[in-house]
């Protein structure tokens, strides 16, 4: 009887202690979670991750565009050996279907091309203007920043038409057809070079734009 009474008494004490201590512990746990949530170390970690991301982006921007393209996983682009050409060499392969994910990678490559080949692009339009308007003074302006803004708007479109891409002076669309990496980059670059130049403050015609684009290495014009 005494053993049974002692066992029940011990169990009662244990339950009583749990009832008294439990809420306090739970309260501490909640306060601890709140402290962790507002812990300045967590904010520091977020800041460090953001800085690392920004540093990685900056390093990518400092890379030569050919090196940058080569470092992209799953991307294969063959570049022209002609130093006057900024377009890739197009291979006779079908490639996978264009997606927004592929466009976003190609956009980064094209933006680097526009920035790093600004002088070559400008010189090509100037050479054309000199030949096209012999003996006349022509002021050539090339808007690289505007071209980059158009590239950043590039979106996939589902229309199955014959045009790989199209653009106006503000936006760009790329058809969701089968296209290898070099052709996708070339298409976006081609569309970026439309509306990029003015002669004496006026837009030049599409035929003249295509002539310069071909000078820069796009054989598909």
């Amino acid at each position: 009887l005494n053993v049974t009474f002692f066992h029940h008494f011990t169990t009662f004490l244990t339950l009583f202690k749990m009832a008294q201590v439990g809420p306090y512990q739970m309260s501490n746990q909640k306060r601890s979670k709140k402290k962790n949530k507002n812990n300045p170390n967590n904010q520091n970690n977020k800041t460090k991750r953001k800085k690392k991301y920004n540093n990685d982006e900056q390093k990518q921007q400092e890379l030569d565009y050919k090196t940058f393209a080569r470092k992209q996983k799953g991307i294969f682009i063959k570049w022209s050996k002609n130093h006057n050409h900024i377009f890739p060499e197009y291979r006779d392969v079908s490639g996978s279907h264009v997606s927004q994910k592929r466009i976003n990678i190609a956009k980064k490559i094209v933006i680097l091309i526009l920035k790093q080949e600004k002088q070559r692009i400008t010189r090509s339009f100037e050479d054309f203007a000199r030949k096209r308007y012999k003996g006349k003074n022509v002021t050539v302006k090339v808007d690289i920043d505007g071209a980059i803004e158009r590239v950043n708007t590039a979106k996939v479109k589902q229309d199955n038409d014959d045009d790989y891409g199209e653009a106006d002076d503000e936006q760009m669309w790329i058809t969701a057809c089968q296209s290898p990496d070099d052709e996708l980059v070339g298409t976006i670059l081609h569309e970026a070079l439309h509306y990029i130049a003015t002669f004496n403050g006026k837009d030049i015609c599409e035929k003249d734009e295509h002539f310069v684009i071909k000078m820069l290495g796009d054989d598909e014009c």
Side-chain angles (χ1 to χ4, degrees):
L1 180 63
N2 289 336
V3 174
T4 303
F5 174 79
F6 179 76
H7 175 72
H8 285 301
F9 182 73
T10 304
T11 303
F12 172 78
L13 284 178
T14 302
L15 293 173
F16 179 78
K17 287 180 179 179
M18 288 177 65
Q20 293 297 317
V21 176
Y24 176 75
Q25 287 180 332
M26 289 295 292
S27 171
N28 278 347
Q29 287 177 358
K30 288 180 181 178
R31 281 198 293 270
S32 176
K33 286 182 180 179
K34 288 181 180 179
K35 287 180 182 178
N36 289 336
K37 187 175 182 181
N38 298 319
N39 192 332
N41 290 331
N42 292 340
Q43 298 298 325
N44 290 337
N45 289 336
K46 289 181 180 179
T47 304
K48 287 178 182 178
R49 285 195 296 270
K50 188 174 181 179
K51 285 182 178 178
K52 183 179 183 300
Y53 174 80
N54 291 336
N55 289 337
D56 290 343
E57 284 286 304
Q58 186 175 358
K59 287 179 181 178
Q60 288 179 348
Q61 294 298 319
E62 292 172 355
L63 286 175
D64 170 78
Y65 64 86
K66 294 178 182 178
T67 303
F68 176 82
R70 190 167 60 249
K71 286 180 174 290
Q72 303 309 300
K73 186 177 180 181
I75 301 295
F76 179 80
I77 298 175
K78 185 178 180 181
W79 300 96
S80 173
K81 295 180 180 179
N82 188 325
H83 70 279
N84 290 318
H85 291 176
I86 65 174
F87 279 81
E89 285 190 354
Y90 299 141
R91 296 169 295 145
D92 189 19
V93 293
S94 59
S96 55
H97 281 88
V98 172
S99 64
Q100 190 62 47
K101 182 179 179 180
R102 292 186 65 207
I103 289 174
N104 291 341
I105 296 173
K107 286 196 292 189
K108 292 181 180 180
I109 299 171
V110 172
I111 288 171
L112 286 178
I113 294 173
L114 291 170
K115 288 180 177 179
Q116 296 172 10
E117 296 288 7
K118 178 179 179 178
Q119 187 175 356
R120 198 184 309 277
I121 294 168
T122 303
R123 190 170 61 246
S124 295
F125 278 99
E126 289 173 343
D127 289 345
F128 173 78
R130 201 162 34 249
K131 294 174 183 177
R132 180 79 166 76
Y133 304 99
K134 289 182 180 179
K136 296 181 181 180
N137 291 327
V138 180
T139 301
V140 177
K141 289 187 177 181
V142 175
D143 184 9
I144 294 293
D145 290 339
I148 290 173
E149 288 179 8
R150 278 196 305 283
V151 169
N152 278 322
T153 69
K155 296 179 180 178
V156 65
K157 66 170 186 172
Q158 301 299 329
D159 299 342
N160 293 320
D161 52 28
D162 294 331
D163 293 328
Y164 289 120
E166 62 177 304
D168 55 27
D169 58 347
E170 293 182 352
Q171 294 180 295
M172 186 182 301
W173 302 267
I174 308 299
T175 305
C177 59
Q178 286 183 287
S179 179
D181 299 320
D182 40 34
E183 196 171 80
L184 177 57
V185 168
T187 299
I188 296 175
L189 180 58
H190 177 111
E191 297 302 330
L193 293 175
H194 284 298
Y195 307 99
I196 197 174
T198 57
F199 292 170
N200 292 332
K202 297 180 180 179
D203 292 334
I204 64 177
C205 68
E206 186 178 18
K207 181 180 178 181
D208 289 348
E209 285 177 332
H210 279 159
F211 190 93
V212 177
I213 292 171
K214 192 168 185 177
M215 287 170 58
L216 289 166
D218 189 355
D219 295 331
E220 297 297 319
C221 284

